[in-house]
Amino acid sequence: MKKSLLAATILIALGGLTACQTQSATSMTPSTEVKQQSFVQFSQQFIDSLWQESPTWALYSGYHKYDAVLKVPNAVNRAKSLQFIETQLQLLKQFDTQALSAGEVIDYHLIENLLLRDQWDINTFRSWQWDPSAYNVAGGFAQIINEDFAPLDDRLRAFLGRMENVPAYYSAARENISDPTLEHTQLAVMQNKGAFSVFSDKLLETVSQSGLTASEKQLFNERFDLATKAIKSHVDWLESLENKLQKEGARSFRIGENLYEQKFAFDIQAGMTAKALYEKALADKAHVQGEMAKITKQLWPKYFTTPMPKQSNVATRQLIDKLSAKHVKREDFVDEVRAQIPQLVKFVNDKQLVTLDPKKPLVVRETPEYMRGFAGASISAPGPYEKSSNTYYNVTPLDGMSDESAESYLREYNHWILQVLNIHEAIPGHYTQLVYSNESPSLVKSLFGNGAMVEGWAVYTERMMLEEGYGDFEPEMWLMYYKWNLRVIANTILDYSIQVKGMTEDEAIKLMTEEAFQQQAEAEGKWRRATLSQVQLTSYYSGYREIYDFREELKGMEGEEFDLKGFHETFLSYGSAPVKYVRQLMLAK
């Protein structure tokens, strides 16, 4: 019911905008002007207040006024957070959405969703109690020391100020942690150990050679010593907790149907239930498997002299296994990713698919240690306050894998799929979308982006690039694309089945390897990821279907006048707003 009312409110607002567009500027009533201006003022006030409330989020977003502040996650500050949420919700309720522009209505609902989700997380979901991996100071400190947003001495002073609360931070974390899951405890151990890649002897050497005063250097060393001891003590405590949980048992990582549907509504904002998306994914899985069977039949004589198995999935699996042997050497994995980026840039520019800004650097790097253990590849993008800063494409090297695991991983990310991965993460996927998001005239849409739109865009570009001729329509490339796309579909089935329906690890591995044709190492990694997150794995498929379906709808409406580049750039211009809102804005034009 709430979703239906929300959709109706949006449509009413868009209808109002269409009517206003036919009027002259002078025909707008003074009261409307005041209300619209006051919402702009509220939005800015909200963002300013939010950064005080969430200084680390501000740091990641490129707003550096509160870099020296590390908020202690104790009961007092949780109560302050709830009061902040309530105050902002009351301020938001003063606005009549029918008096706002269409863009402002979207901002209204983005802010509302953010506040209600945070309130729900503290009061209902309570992950601050059962997820020890939520407590890790490394990221904020790494952002300060690794990003060149200010002179080094200024950043070191922010680092110095931020260190003051590290011992209290971890003390509060231990007070909060109650009935944790084993999986999140194990992740917390690994990632907090990675903090020592930030709090390193190299950093102390940098400080000794910096322009800090003698007293500042002394204080830096004192706080550094206290901080590292606090991190080590916390890791020791976590390891003891891990041993206890392994012996005595731990809370299940599964959150169940009610919490899953609630989290899905907040995180995805797709206009459908999680169960409905799950059922849609089941139907798409069957369709994609059918397309793969057709390509397998076409390619079989090229690669085999034996008769093709009668079971289509068995034949497809055999062909994929044959093709997967073509992959880069393990020691060249990161370098190969780096080498492919210019090729993708050239294709996008030659085909005029979307305008790329050469002034926005993309840097391929090995994933920092404190970030490892969750995903093999990811993007770390600057916020809208520091648009010119580097975007990092984090690629985890395979050094720590056994030979068997590395070979399995490389077969998963073979010659063809590695290219699809780079489309997804970099050009014209995440990197491109996030650059555009930072240019959105609405700071709200840039800052409070919808994960399903962000992930959905990256998945959409994979198919779009192949449709436009990337890979020269090679059937092997399309087969591997479908395999990759099937993984996106399987992500939704997997996540819902694990968290809601109680799918076991053996059942999950079977789904991924036998029905989605994934390698064993990839399947095991996805199982681990599905035990550590909830709902996020559905964002890829949800956003992809919404974007692709909307594009096809618009093509049908505009016919020969449809311009693909224009569609892409208009769509991206609205920042990282939920797709359903972007669609309504574009249709209202």
Side-chain angles (χ1 to χ4, degrees):
M1 179 63 68
K2 183 178 178 183
K3 285 183 175 295
S4 299
L5 291 172
L6 176 62
T9 303
I10 295 290
L11 289 172
I12 291 169
L14 290 171
L17 175 65
T18 304
C20 287
Q21 286 176 327
T22 63
Q23 301 172 357
S24 67
T26 56
S27 66
M28 187 178 290
T29 63
S31 61
T32 303
E33 290 184 27
V34 169
K35 286 186 178 181
Q36 289 180 337
Q37 179 60 30
S38 65
F39 185 79
V40 171
Q41 291 174 337
F42 164 77
S43 299
Q44 188 58 58
Q45 166 269 314
F46 169 75
I47 292 169
D48 291 343
S49 300
L50 180 67
W51 295 154
Q52 289 182 279
E53 165 66 20
S54 305
T56 300
W57 188 3
L59 166 60
Y60 283 129
S61 299
Y63 186 85
H64 296 292
K65 185 176 179 179
Y66 306 112
D67 286 1
V69 179
L70 176 64
K71 189 174 178 181
V72 177
N74 55 25
V76 171
N77 280 328
R78 270 195 306 282
K80 289 181 179 178
S81 294
L82 288 171
Q83 183 57 55
F84 168 81
I85 291 167
E86 185 59 36
T87 298
Q88 298 302 319
L89 283 172
Q90 291 302 317
L91 290 171
L92 189 63
K93 288 177 183 177
Q94 70 180 306
F95 297 101
D96 178 2
T97 54
Q98 296 187 45
L100 303 178
S101 72
E104 288 172 334
V105 170
I106 290 180
D107 288 359
Y108 178 102
H109 288 296
L110 285 173
I111 294 172
E112 179 184 50
N113 186 77
L114 172 68
L115 291 168
L116 291 175
R117 190 204 183 283
D118 286 352
Q119 186 180 62
W120 171 84
D121 188 57
I122 294 173
N123 289 333
T124 304
F125 198 53
R126 302 178 75 86
S127 57
W128 54 271
Q129 284 187 324
W130 53 260
D131 180 6
S133 70
Y135 304 105
N136 188 344
V137 299
F141 284 103
Q143 193 80 1
I144 291 172
I145 207 65
N146 293 334
E147 293 298 321
D148 193 23
F149 57 81
L152 176 61
D153 289 350
D154 291 345
R155 289 184 284 123
L156 288 174
R157 289 187 177 98
F159 198 107
L160 170 61
R162 194 176 183 84
M163 279 196 294
E164 182 178 11
N165 280 348
V166 170
Y169 176 97
Y170 281 113
S171 177
R174 289 190 290 276
E175 289 180 11
N176 291 341
I177 295 170
S178 172
D179 190 23
T181 76
L182 173 62
E183 293 79 9
H184 291 92
T185 304
Q186 292 171 330
L187 180 63
V189 170
M190 183 180 68
Q191 291 191 332
N192 275 282
K193 284 181 177 178
F196 293 108
S197 66
V198 180
F199 290 85
S200 64
D201 291 340
K202 182 179 178 182
L203 174 61
L204 291 179
E205 192 176 313
T206 299
V207 171
S208 69
Q209 298 173 3
S210 71
L212 268 59
T213 65
S215 59
E216 286 174 328
K217 290 178 180 178
Q218 180 182 347
L219 183 59
F220 195 105
N221 280 275
E222 291 172 357
R223 288 184 177 174
F224 181 94
D225 185 53
L226 292 172
T228 52
K229 285 180 179 177
I231 296 169
K232 186 180 183 307
S233 294
H234 188 65
V235 170
D236 291 343
W237 182 83
L238 286 170
E239 289 180 328
S240 176
L241 176 62
E242 178 187 1
N243 290 333
K244 179 182 177 182
L245 295 174
Q246 286 176 325
K247 292 176 182 177
E248 301 177 8
R251 173 198 186 104
S252 172
F253 61 82
R254 306 177 200 272
I255 64 173
E257 184 173 7
N258 289 338
L259 286 176
Y260 192 93
E261 286 286 1
Q262 292 168 27
K263 194 171 193 295
F264 181 87
F266 282 122
D267 291 359
I268 304 300
Q269 302 180 71
M272 71 176 79
T273 65
K275 184 178 181 181
L277 184 71
Y278 165 75
E279 291 171 348
K280 188 179 181 72
L282 288 175
D284 261 2
K285 177 169 74 74
H287 170 74
V288 169
Q289 287 173 335
E291 293 300 309
M292 295 177 77
K294 293 177 186 176
I295 298 175
T296 299
K297 186 176 181 179
Q298 174 191 351
L299 288 176
W300 190 267
K302 180 178 176 180
Y303 291 97
F304 298 96
T305 56
T306 56
M308 190 175 79
K310 292 182 179 179
Q311 290 182 295
S312 58
N313 274 8
V314 173
T316 299
R317 171 92 247 184
Q318 289 183 21
L319 179 57
I320 287 172
D321 284 344
K322 181 85 170 179
L323 295 175
S324 296
K326 185 177 180 179
H327 60 70
V328 69
K329 296 178 181 177
R330 66 182 292 178
E331 63 268 23
D332 296 334
F333 186 71
V334 178
D335 288 339
E336 178 61 24
V337 170
R338 189 175 287 114
Q340 287 185 16
I341 302 305
Q343 301 169 19
L344 293 172
V345 170
K346 185 177 187 305
F347 183 87
V348 169
N349 288 336
D350 288 349
K351 292 286 185 175
Q352 296 188 28
L353 300 177
V354 65
T355 301
L356 301 175
D357 187 348
K359 298 177 183 176
K360 307 292 185 183
L362 174 64
V363 179
V364 179
R365 69 176 180 183
E366 293 188 2
T367 306
E369 289 185 22
Y370 64 87
M371 292 174 59
R372 296 183 187 183
F374 187 76
S378 64
I379 287 288
S380 296
Y385 293 108
E386 47 185 12
K387 303 171 187 178
S388 61
S389 295
N390 291 340
T391 297
Y392 291 104
Y393 184 1
N394 308 303
V395 184
T396 303
L398 312 185
D399 304 346
M401 291 186 178
S402 67
D403 290 343
E404 182 181 4
S405 294
E407 176 62 20
S408 180
Y409 189 88
L410 289 166
R411 289 177 67 86
E412 181 69 27
Y413 293 96
N414 56 57
H415 169 73
W416 295 277
I417 286 186
L418 186 58
Q419 296 175 70
V420 180
L421 173 69
N422 292 330
I423 290 171
H424 177 103
E425 295 292 345
I427 310 291
H430 283 318
Y431 159 75
T432 304
Q433 186 270 320
L434 292 169
V435 168
Y436 271 84
S437 182
N438 279 347
E439 298 299 328
S440 170
S442 165
L443 203 56
V444 170
K445 294 182 184 70
S446 294
L447 290 168
F448 313 135
N450 172 253
M453 183 275 174
V454 173
E455 294 294 355
W457 170 262
V459 175
Y460 161 78
T461 61
E462 300 159 12
R463 184 179 183 94
M464 180 273 294
M465 288 281 280
L466 266 66
E467 289 176 338
E468 294 303 308
Y470 184 83
D472 297 322
F473 300 102
E474 181 186 30
E476 289 88 346
M477 174 63 92
W478 272 96
L479 179 69
M480 289 299 182
Y481 160 73
Y482 278 127
K483 174 183 180 295
W484 179 268
N485 188 244
L486 190 57
R487 184 168 78 167
V488 168
I489 296 168
N491 279 350
T492 291
I493 299 170
L494 186 74
D495 198 62
Y496 188 85
S497 297
I498 289 172
Q499 294 291 338
V500 175
K501 300 172 76 67
M503 175 181 272
T504 66
E505 182 175 2
D506 287 343
E507 291 170 338
I509 297 296
K510 184 177 180 180
L511 168 68
M512 289 183 280
T513 56
E514 296 183 14
E515 295 193 62
F517 313 111
Q518 295 174 27
Q519 293 293 320
Q520 185 72 19
E522 175 65 23
E524 290 171 357
K526 187 60 60 66
W527 164 261
R528 173 177 169 77
R529 182 170 173 181
T531 66
L532 294 170
S533 65
Q534 318 84 22
V535 172
Q536 194 273 336
L537 281 172
T538 71
S539 60
Y540 304 86
Y541 175 69
S542 173
Y544 157 68
R545 286 301 334 173
E546 286 189 287
I547 296 170
Y548 193 87
D549 292 349
F550 173 44
R551 189 197 73 177
E552 294 303 288
E553 176 188 6
L554 210 56
K555 284 172 69 175
M557 293 169 59
E558 297 181 358
E560 294 182 359
E561 294 183 0
F562 178 81
D563 176 64
L564 185 61
K565 182 180 181 183
F567 168 77
H568 291 157
E569 294 184 354
T570 303
F571 184 87
L572 293 175
S573 72
Y574 291 107
S576 301
V579 178
K580 62 181 180 181
Y581 296 155
V582 177
R583 175 182 178 276
Q584 289 162 354
L585 281 175
M586 290 180 67
L587 291 178
K589 280 195 167 186

